[in-house]
Amino acid sequence: MRFRIYRYDPESGAAPFHQEYDLDYDPKGKKVLDALIAIKDTLDESLSFRRSCREGVCGSDGVNVNGTNVLACITPLEGLKQPIEIRPLPRLGVIRDLIVDMAQFYQHYRAVKPYLINLDPEPENERLQSPQERAELDGLWECILCGCCTTSCPSFWWNPDKFLGPAALLQGYRFIADTRDQSTNERLDFLEDPYRLFRCHGIMNCVEVCPKGLNPTAAIGKIKSLLVKRAL
Amino acid sequence: MNSTQIPKRTFDAVIVGGGGAGLRAALQLSQANLKVALISKVFPTRSHTVSAQGGITAALANVSDDNWHWHMYDTVKGSDYLGDQDAIEFMCRNAASAVYELEHMGLPFSRLDNGKIYQRPFGGQSQNYGGEQAIRTCAAADRTGHALLHTLYQRNIAARTQFFDEFFALDLIRDDEGTVLGVVALEIETGEASLFESRATLLATGGACRIFRHSTNAHINTGDGLGMVLRAGLPLEDMEFWQFHPTGIPEVGSLISEGVRGEGGYLVNKDGEKFMTRYAPNAKDLASRDVVARAIAQEIRAGKGCGEHGDYVHLKIEHLGAEKIMERLPGIRELSMQFAGADPITDPIPVTPTAHYMMGGIPTNMHGQVVSPVRYGPEEPAPGLYAVGECACVSVHGANRLGGNSLLDLVVFGRAAGQHVIEYLRDNPYPRPLPQAQVDKALARLARWDKPKGTETVAGLRDEMQRIMQDHCGVYRTEALLKEGLAMLDKVEARLPDAALSDHSRMFNTARLEALELDNLMAISRATLVSALARTESRGAHTREDFPKRDDDRWLRHTLYFQQDDQLDYKPVRLKPLTVDTFQPKERTY
């Protein structure tokens, strides 16, 4: 199989380039991550990428394969057009090869205060929440922070420091939607901003690429309509 | 570079590992306004806790009549009586409050119609000391580990814990008196080593199933804390006990939760027979994991396996219906479709026993203090050193862990250890002189991989080691098989000094990380084989075909393995609980 992989060695002083690899490999049932590991183990030890769970739940190995942001570990090799071009996630700084600097992404995540705020005395047992109320969180809490969505978003490309991006906004809404959270107003105050939230123009690349099938655009829409309702 | 040249950071406490246990302990310390550093080789939410699926066990009695005494009985029995009953009582008694605490933190548990936390049946659970199936495992769909890990990380953001993400711990710094004074760690991005000086060091480095070729574990589960402890001259406990989860996807290893059987799924062989009724007439598919794993292995051996090579069995859940599968087991469906090519709404999932969990580990007491036999008895704390979670052996899981007890272990003992560290820091307010020679030793471990040329590769040796462990230390073991495995491992280990890297760069050199991890994996493989060879009985997950019976007279005791000369020592099982009566060892049937 033929691969064309983005390489950047920060110590060499050389510009980034694409390196081609020919890997003798049976793709049946295998994923892109398997091939990356095989290349590293047998052809080129210096090829660098992040990986952990290898089953699509930890979010380490977001990369761009043939132009689309994916998790390498759950993307089948079969059916990919060769040479398979693998690049780091777009727009973030590249530390080395496929490893990007996620600091900005995590900063936006922290900015939405991604934790439950409830100042009532803690009850003796659990707080009650009906299955219907809990269902409001489905499609929100499953985010694995891989960065595929945010780095596919043109609004983020233009304003990466000011627009929070779909992943952070999805988490922002996850706590707004939680009946146990008491900070909805403060959360909305923070998000009511021409950049943080309103740079989303509904392009929906995020929905297209989310490896967990989540819909950040819908969550962003719900935040916007809450803001409208609040203003009335 | 030597010890006087590397940067030094000073903290009250350093935690190594950002999974559930490390984060829970960190939270305790941050909330106490201590200066705590959490070092993790991956961004915390990439930790393996995220892969836990089915749930966290606590006798909330939201669905079935229940209490912690029954949970304790099941856990003692599940451990095949090797678990320490004081620690088990502590865990089960604190389970409900630990789960409520997680709920208060914001963990998005699934809910029952009355608004309480959803619970599902899991293996080895009973009411009334061995009676009817209990329904005790609290779940957030089938992504409970994800929910727990993210919630704890989020609470740590709120508590402003200081994170050192993508720092790899190399070694402990331990002075001549045995006090642990911190760790030397490598900043992965820059490739530079630095010293984390701290009066207390807590290891929460997780499991090490990557010693096996097929495992449910993440690539990062290389037992780094265990390697550090062995090199510091401390022992590992019960390393012969590795859990083979009955239902991993063949070849890839991905876990298919016990929750699938808890929700009503069942196993069949190639004849379509529900074979668990033969092996565990009462509990059937919800027997303890060791029992179910052996049953599947027996079916496969008897030629009753499915598929072209007859090397797996089928797990069926079609009868649950699409709606329930999508609501309760959406992650399982995803994994099955991605890695087994089977949509469980219409097709059975192929499954086979797969290395999953390390019951053994770094010996600790209930407070998370690392203990070893020194002068005054078998369990003297190593001052300043703690271990929690899968890397630790408290021991609450004994010879076989029950499903749902792992996440519980993380939070109960993470909290307890954090609490004890606070007391320890109060009683030990002064820093001690750092032994520079120890720092240099850790740096030498790093410098060793600067060697320009060699005849062996890290990937090649790791692959051989994993095959040896897979073939010689699996579900069924014999003296001959273990001895052969150990001899083969000797040879592979002897070639390790000949290994070299071709990549000698500094920044984000993942090849060098894998080399450093291999040191740990190799040491753990050896500890496992030596411990397994010595234990001439079958107990829990350690099945010796040449010694098929449990032998309480000789072996109701914990193994301690020391790296120096492969020495073994033993210590008694603590059969006396804290407040209740001992559960006397008896024959274990399901």
Side-chain angles (χ1 to χ4, degrees):
Chain A
M1 302 192 76
R2 176 153 278 233
F3 295 84
R4 190 163 179 271
I5 301 180
Y6 179 98
R7 302 299 311 272
Y8 171 62
D9 175 1
E11 287 164 72
S12 71
F17 62 103
H18 284 91
Q19 186 165 356
E20 301 235 340
Y21 294 99
D22 280 308
L23 182 70
D24 185 14
Y25 201 63
D26 177 8
K28 194 170 179 310
K30 299 287 185 187
K31 314 293 184 210
V32 170
L33 180 64
D34 296 317
L36 287 172
I37 291 172
I39 292 171
K40 188 174 180 66
D41 285 354
T42 61
L43 299 177
D44 184 352
E45 208 169 61
S46 72
L47 178 65
S48 305
F49 48 89
R50 291 190 178 104
R51 85 285 182 269
S52 174
C53 75
R54 61 82 176 88
E55 55 189 23
V57 298
C58 81
S60 297
D61 63 347
V63 288
N64 186 282
V65 174
N66 287 352
T68 306
N69 290 354
V70 297
L71 292 180
C73 60
I74 54 169
T75 302
L77 280 173
E78 287 171 284
L80 286 177
K81 188 170 158 282
Q82 295 189 34
I84 298 169
E85 186 167 304
I86 308 176
R87 299 171 52 86
L89 290 177
R91 194 58 179 91
L92 301 175
V94 176
I95 296 172
R96 177 177 176 169
D97 296 346
L98 303 175
I99 297 166
V100 290
D101 182 354
M102 300 277 283
Q104 179 84 76
F105 177 85
Y106 295 142
Q107 194 186 323
H108 288 329
Y109 171 65
R110 288 194 301 270
V112 302
K113 296 195 176 164
Y115 39 83
L116 195 78
I117 297 174
N118 183 318
L119 299 176
D120 286 346
E122 284 178 356
E124 190 180 349
N125 297 339
E126 69 265 61
R127 293 193 185 94
L128 299 182
Q129 188 172 47
S130 73
Q132 295 73 30
E133 290 169 339
R134 169 59 181 74
E136 292 297 315
L137 306 184
D138 284 336
L140 305 172
W141 68 279
E142 301 93 328
C143 171
I144 59 174
L145 302 176
C146 63
C148 285
C149 61
T150 295
T151 62
S152 73
C153 173
S155 297
F156 178 76
W157 298 341
W158 292 319
N159 293 291
D161 53 337
K162 291 190 248 171
F163 173 54
L164 295 177
L169 290 169
L170 186 80
Q171 287 317 296
Y173 184 64
R174 177 249 174 274
F175 289 96
I176 290 172
D178 197 322
T179 51
R180 300 171 296 174
D181 190 88
Q182 298 175 326
S183 196
T184 298
N185 254 322
E186 292 77 6
R187 293 180 189 282
L188 291 176
D189 287 346
F190 174 75
L191 294 171
E192 191 166 23
D193 177 280
Y195 283 96
R196 287 177 191 143
L197 172 74
F198 285 103
R199 284 297 113 175
C200 169
H201 300 304
I203 299 168
M204 293 179 76
N205 282 4
C206 53
V207 183
E208 201 86 353
V209 300
C210 176
K212 304 310 286 180
L214 310 180
N215 189 335
T217 307
I220 292 167
K222 286 179 178 166
I223 299 174
K224 285 178 178 169
S225 60
L226 282 173
L227 283 169
V228 171
K229 262 189 222 153
R230 190 170 76 151
L232 290 175
Chain B
M1 178 163 285
N2 67 40
S3 54
T4 53
Q5 291 165 311
I6 66 169
K8 186 173 87 171
R9 297 178 164 96
T10 304
F11 293 90
D12 294 322
V14 166
I15 292 172
V16 183
L23 288 173
R24 184 61 193 81
L27 191 58
Q28 202 73 14
L29 295 168
S30 287
Q31 287 173 341
N33 289 320
L34 291 162
K35 197 164 146 57
V36 52
L38 190 145
I39 300 173
S40 173
K41 67 177 176 177
V42 293
F43 180 74
T45 66
R46 322 298 182 206
S47 306
H48 189 55
T49 302
V50 82
S51 292
Q53 298 170 350
I56 175 167
T57 301
L60 307 185
N62 285 356
V63 181
S64 65
D65 195 16
D66 211 353
N67 64 61
W68 67 261
H69 299 268
W70 301 346
H71 181 193
M72 179 181 172
Y73 167 81
D74 290 340
T75 303
V76 172
K77 177 184 172 188
S79 80
D80 220 347
Y81 299 92
L82 192 70
D84 289 321
Q85 296 194 17
D86 51 352
I88 294 175
E89 177 181 334
F90 183 81
M91 180 176 79
C92 297
R93 204 150 48 118
N94 285 292
S97 71
V99 167
Y100 292 140
E101 183 183 75
L102 289 168
E103 195 283 325
H104 298 157
M105 287 182 194
L107 196 150
F109 282 110
S110 299
R111 299 289 172 152
L112 298 161
D113 284 338
N114 63 11
K116 291 185 174 185
I117 293 170
Y118 172 77
Q119 295 187 283
R120 60 164 54 110
F122 246 51
Q125 295 180 348
S126 72
Q127 302 183 61
N128 210 9
Y129 311 107
E132 291 291 294
Q133 173 76 40
I135 300 171
R136 189 178 292 145
T137 298
C138 312
D142 57 356
R143 297 185 172 107
T144 315
H146 170 107
L148 184 142
L149 183 67
H150 281 251
T151 301
L152 285 173
Y153 180 63
Q154 292 162 348
R155 292 320 314 180
N156 273 282
I157 293 176
R160 313 187 75 162
T161 300
Q162 201 162 349
F163 285 99
F164 291 85
D165 298 335
E166 302 191 318
F167 275 66
F168 181 84
L170 290 166
D171 266 311
L172 294 169
I173 304 302
R174 195 169 178 232
D175 69 14
D176 292 343
E177 287 172 40
T179 304
V180 173
L181 305 168
V183 295
V184 177
L186 177 74
E187 181 173 4
I188 298 172
E189 183 176 335
T190 62
E192 301 302 333
S194 60
L195 179 60
F196 287 78
E197 185 190 28
S198 61
R199 284 174 289 140
T201 303
L202 186 143
L203 299 173
T205 56
C209 274
R210 284 279 156 181
I211 64 169
F212 295 101
R213 183 152 180 266
H214 298 302
S215 132
T216 64
N217 283 194
H219 286 288
I220 58 171
N221 283 25
T222 54
D224 304 322
L226 280 73
M228 289 162 67
V229 159
L230 282 176
R231 286 190 294 276
L234 292 162
L236 296 182
E237 179 174 343
D238 291 341
M239 289 304 290
E240 60 272 45
F241 296 102
W242 294 80
Q243 179 164 80
F244 294 86
H245 196 290
T247 57
I249 296 178
E251 288 299 314
V252 279
S254 288
L255 173 67
I256 297 297
S257 171
E258 188 167 295
V260 173
R261 281 169 285 136
E263 294 287 347
Y266 56 86
L267 296 160
V268 295
N269 60 22
K270 74 168 181 189
D271 304 327
E273 183 203 1
K274 295 183 181 179
F275 58 84
M276 278 315 299
T277 50
R278 277 190 276 122
Y279 295 90
N282 296 314
K284 301 186 188 72
D285 291 272
L286 284 178
S288 205
R289 286 181 180 170
D290 55 335
V291 174
V292 182
R294 275 192 295 272
I296 295 174
Q298 290 283 358
E299 291 298 298
I300 290 171
R301 273 185 174 188
K304 300 257 182 84
C306 307
E308 199 184 334
H309 306 292
D311 52 359
Y312 57 82
V313 296
H314 277 144
L315 175 58
K316 286 169 81 78
I317 55 170
E318 299 104 282
H319 59 286
L320 299 181
E323 197 182 333
K324 188 165 177 192
I325 292 172
M326 308 277 257
E327 187 193 345
R328 299 287 182 215
L329 304 166
I332 288 303
R333 178 165 179 249
E334 253 177 51
L335 283 175
S336 178
M337 287 165 53
Q338 282 160 352
F339 290 99
D343 181 349
I345 290 176
T346 49
D347 299 306
I349 311 171
V351 290
T352 196
T354 307
H356 178 58
Y357 186 86
M358 175 177 78
M359 267 77 69
I362 304 163
T364 73
N365 61 21
M366 284 187 298
H367 312 297
Q369 291 179 290
V370 174
V371 291
S372 70
V374 195
R375 281 153 295 198
Y376 310 113
E379 305 206 305
E380 195 178 325
L385 185 61
Y386 292 76
V388 187
E390 187 171 344
C391 76
C393 182
V394 183
S395 149
V396 283
H397 309 305
N400 171 66
R401 175 171 72 77
L402 291 189
N405 271 352
S406 172
L407 292 181
L408 181 62
D409 172 4
L410 306 185
V411 290
V412 167
F413 292 104
R415 177 170 67 178
Q419 204 52 47
H420 200 275
V421 167
I422 294 169
E423 289 163 28
Y424 176 85
L425 291 172
R426 200 182 49 215
D427 297 343
N428 295 272
Y430 299 111
R432 297 163 65 98
L434 283 167
Q436 294 300 332
Q438 293 282 321
V439 182
D440 288 331
K441 233 168 106 184
L443 294 176
R445 212 182 137 229
L446 191 60
R448 175 256 175 272
W449 292 102
D450 290 338
K451 178 174 136 160
K453 276 200 164 50
T455 50
E456 303 284 350
T457 65
V458 169
L461 293 175
R462 184 181 56 216
D463 184 63
E464 285 187 48
M465 176 204 74
Q466 288 172 334
R467 283 171 194 273
I468 292 167
M469 294 308 290
Q470 187 76 29
D471 296 343
H472 294 82
C473 210
V475 176
Y476 286 102
R477 301 160 176 185
T478 64
E479 181 178 323
L481 202 60
L482 289 163
K483 272 191 170 156
E484 187 185 58
L486 193 53
M488 290 169 77
L489 189 74
D490 281 339
K491 286 188 188 147
V492 173
E493 256 186 308
R495 285 155 53 204
L496 192 52
D498 300 325
L501 300 173
S502 59
D503 177 4
H504 294 103
S505 61
R506 300 273 135 200
M507 293 182 72
F508 230 113
N509 184 338
T510 51
R512 183 163 68 161
L513 279 189
E514 288 182 26
L516 294 163
E517 289 171 339
L518 182 61
D519 286 338
N520 298 326
L521 288 170
M522 212 62 107
I524 294 163
S525 297
R526 169 168 288 277
T528 300
L529 285 169
V530 170
S531 304
L533 189 55
R535 186 175 284 269
T536 50
E537 67 156 352
S538 290
R539 182 186 297 271
H542 175 66
T543 312
R544 287 282 301 259
E545 287 187 283
D546 40 358
F547 298 93
K549 288 262 181 279
R550 192 177 83 198
D551 180 354
D552 287 336
D553 292 339
R554 290 185 61 209
W555 288 109
L556 189 58
R557 54 183 185 163
H558 296 292
T559 307
L560 293 174
Y561 167 88
F562 294 82
Q563 196 167 36
Q564 175 99 41
D565 305 322
D566 287 341
Q567 257 178 51
L568 293 178
D569 195 355
Y570 294 92
K571 66 175 182 183
V573 175
R574 289 195 299 269
L575 292 171
K576 194 170 163 31
L578 297 170
T579 63
V580 297
D581 292 336
T582 298
F583 290 108
Q584 291 298 340
K586 57 181 182 186
E587 203 193 339
R588 189 165 155 256
T589 54
Y590 284 97

